[in-house]
Amino acid sequence: MVIRRVLAPRIDFTALRRELDLPGGFPVEALREADEAVAAGPGPSTDRTDVPFVTLDPATSRDLDQAMCLTRRPGGGYRVRYAIADVSSFVRPGGALEAETWRRGQTIYLPDGKVPLHPETLSEGAASLLPDVERPAVVWTIDLDVDGAPGTVRLERALVRSRAKLDYATAQADAEAGRLPEPIALLPEIGTLLTVRGLDRGAINLPLPEQDVEPDGDGWRLVLRPPVPMEDHNAQISLLTGMVAAQLMVAGGVGLLRTMPAPRPEAVQRLRTAAVPLGVDWPAEMSVGRLIAGLDPARLRNAAFLDQAAELMRGAGYTAFDGTLPEDPGHGGVGGAYAHVTAPLRRLADRYATEVCLALHAGTPVPDWARTALPKLPGVMATTDRVASAATRGAIELAEAVLLAHRVGETFDAAVVDVDSPADGRSRRLPGGAVALDDPPVRARCDGELPLGERIRVRLVTADPATRKVRFERA
């Protein structure tokens, strides 16, 4: 794994927090309810502390939603046990804490600290699946056949105990050395099978590097981090659970799905047209998902093609239903019906979708507090999704502008990753597009006639921390 880092000076993110109107501390009554829930004691009566669950997350994470244990089945195939933090056991319906979580919607991450959905006594304490402590969880047990197809599914509230907190970098090194801990030793094998099944369904996975801002002593560093295979394998377990949950809700006629339209034929055709000058060989019978899966994103022209392919992944949202199924219940990126149920510490919707699944699996009525919440959740989640995206992008843009503020007028090597659509004769916008610098790892607007997928020299003309704007021109 190659990670490119560039040190940035001290940065104050206060203005960004104020601009996005992010909440500060929790109301006193909400904190009191959280403390009372922690002190209330006993968890579920079903005991699954004998199952050697482990968590797999970024190294610094403490809000641990998921733990897994993967085993082979005696007759062939696999058993996936996936424990999800049981947040509902700590949040009283109709209380002050529930109301505050609706105001927040999800955890917002900023370089100088997150704005959590739940008080840290829960999100990084009593509800988090930290190692070597007993925690209430919702446990999904999903049996797969030898090809990774799901069969029997069981769902229960249970007490669990994680054995270890694992991180992606260490797990990847262990996988390459053949020494993965037993509970996740099968993760590369199962993850690969699930990926293949996804491609057969028409799933699309974009292996784009993650740009981030991380603390570094008294300053910050700008990071470009490509995903490692263990992250993808881990994501497949979450996708599997989300698809099983969606099937359960669709069969039961009530629930909350994560939906996204399938790529429009004209959008796919535009992408095919873009592939030609980039030298990307796209056989007529090959799906876009399979094509992307075979591309090396480290190659410049492939990276530019993947940037263009991101345009296919638009329109994601939440769809609630009760009695009448949605007209289009699918998720174009997943290749089927899908639901968010695996991150309740960080996403409001997951708590309610999980409660629906528990009731449907048990054959009992969905609790009124969960059922009445469903139609209101899509709007709340859409709003907070926009805030989360604005926070992430705003923090990166601020770091880029601060990092480059003293270098206006300098020239840099850059890759052209996007170009504007041709002007229609009415637009006065100058031609241009987006370029990505290798050093520092910055992506920004560039004016000029740009050759997609090629390297050029660019000159920095604007780097303004006050407006978080960075702009180049072709040199």
Side-chain angles (χ1 to χ4, degrees):
M1 178 179 66
V2 177
I3 300 177
R4 296 202 294 274
R5 296 183 174 94
V6 175
L7 185 65
R10 296 175 69 96
I11 303 173
D12 186 359
F13 296 94
T14 304
L16 181 58
R17 288 173 174 270
R18 188 165 52 245
E19 175 186 320
L20 296 174
D21 194 25
L22 298 180
F26 283 80
V28 172
E29 185 62 21
L31 291 174
R32 184 185 65 77
E33 285 186 13
D35 291 340
E36 289 176 352
V38 172
S45 58
T46 302
D47 190 331
R48 295 286 180 251
T49 56
D50 60 318
V51 179
F53 288 108
V54 297
T55 60
L56 181 58
D57 294 273
T60 58
S61 295
R62 286 188 56 81
D63 47 350
L64 310 182
D65 285 289
Q66 314 112 8
M68 74 179 77
C69 178
L70 310 174
T71 55
R72 294 192 190 277
R73 295 170 57 207
Y78 311 89
R79 175 159 291 171
V80 174
R81 291 188 180 96
Y82 208 36
I84 308 300
D86 187 7
V87 180
S88 289
S89 65
F90 295 96
V91 180
R92 176 170 60 82
L97 178 55
E98 184 189 47
E100 181 64 14
T101 62
W102 275 79
R103 186 166 80 94
R104 294 174 179 240
Q106 65 180 281
T107 297
I108 306 295
Y109 292 90
L110 285 167
D112 62 347
K114 58 180 173 281
V115 180
L117 175 60
H118 301 93
E120 290 186 0
T121 53
L122 298 180
S123 62
E124 298 189 4
S128 178
L129 302 184
L130 297 165
D132 301 321
V133 288
E134 294 184 351
R135 291 288 186 259
V138 175
V139 180
W140 294 81
T141 301
I142 306 169
D143 287 343
L144 307 176
D145 68 14
V146 293
D147 296 319
T152 304
V153 176
R154 290 176 294 284
L155 184 58
E156 61 185 347
R157 281 194 155 95
L159 205 62
V160 302
R161 184 169 64 87
S162 170
R163 302 300 197 267
K165 178 182 180 297
L166 308 178
D167 67 86
Y168 291 128
T170 303
Q172 184 61 40
D174 288 345
E176 292 169 0
R179 57 169 185 263
L180 279 171
E182 188 63 28
I184 61 166
L186 292 173
L187 183 54
E189 184 176 334
I190 296 174
T192 299
L193 282 174
L194 294 175
T195 297
V196 171
R197 290 186 61 81
L199 294 175
D200 290 341
R201 292 192 307 268
I204 302 172
N205 177 41
L206 294 176
L208 298 174
E210 178 186 5
Q211 192 180 17
D212 204 358
V213 183
E214 295 180 345
D216 190 0
D218 291 334
W220 302 90
R221 62 189 177 205
L222 200 57
V223 177
L224 190 65
R225 182 188 296 106
V228 299
M230 286 298 285
E231 289 182 76
D232 292 335
H233 298 325
N234 188 49
Q236 288 298 325
I237 302 299
S238 183
L239 281 170
L240 167 70
T241 308
M243 293 192 74
V244 167
Q247 292 166 5
L248 186 60
M249 289 187 282
V250 168
V254 58
L256 182 70
L257 303 178
R258 181 66 169 172
T259 55
M260 189 182 79
R264 298 187 308 276
E266 58 269 26
V268 176
Q269 184 55 50
R270 283 197 299 270
L271 187 61
R272 279 191 176 276
T273 301
V276 176
L278 290 172
V280 175
D281 182 22
W282 189 348
E285 70 282 0
M286 182 176 287
S287 70
V288 61
R290 286 195 179 279
L291 174 70
I292 289 172
L295 295 179
D296 178 4
R299 296 184 59 188
L300 175 56
R301 291 193 167 198
N302 289 349
F305 178 82
L306 293 175
D307 197 86
Q308 302 298 300
E311 293 298 317
L312 302 179
M313 312 290 280
R314 301 294 185 194
Y318 291 86
T319 301
F321 63 102
D322 194 343
T324 301
L325 294 180
E327 183 177 339
D328 183 5
H331 188 292
V334 175
Y338 170 61
H340 275 168
V341 293
T342 62
L345 286 174
R346 291 170 281 174
R347 276 192 311 247
L348 178 69
D350 298 44
R351 187 198 322 158
Y352 296 87
T354 295
E355 208 64 36
V356 173
C357 289
L358 282 162
L360 292 174
H361 183 269
T364 58
V366 176
D368 286 342
W369 62 265
R371 194 164 205 148
T372 57
L374 296 179
K376 296 178 286 187
L377 282 165
V380 171
M381 296 307 298
T383 298
T384 193
D385 278 345
R386 288 192 292 269
V387 173
S389 295
T392 299
R393 189 63 224 163
I396 292 171
E397 289 172 344
L398 178 57
E400 290 175 334
V402 170
L403 179 66
L404 293 172
H406 65 291
R407 303 184 68 177
V408 173
E410 291 186 30
T411 58
F412 301 82
D413 287 321
V416 179
V417 295
D418 193 16
V419 294
D420 296 341
S421 300
D424 60 6
R426 297 187 299 271
S427 174
R428 295 185 178 182
R429 187 179 188 181
L430 294 173
V435 295
L437 278 61
D438 288 331
D439 185 17
V442 168
R443 174 181 170 138
R445 172 77 188 174
C446 182
D447 296 329
E449 296 290 345
L450 305 180
L452 183 63
E454 301 291 342
R455 286 196 173 277
I456 61 173
R457 293 287 290 176
V458 298
R459 180 180 296 104
L460 179 63
V461 295
T462 302
D464 184 1
T467 60
R468 303 196 299 272
K469 297 297 183 183
V470 173
R471 185 171 62 88
F472 295 89
E473 63 182 11
R474 186 169 184 178

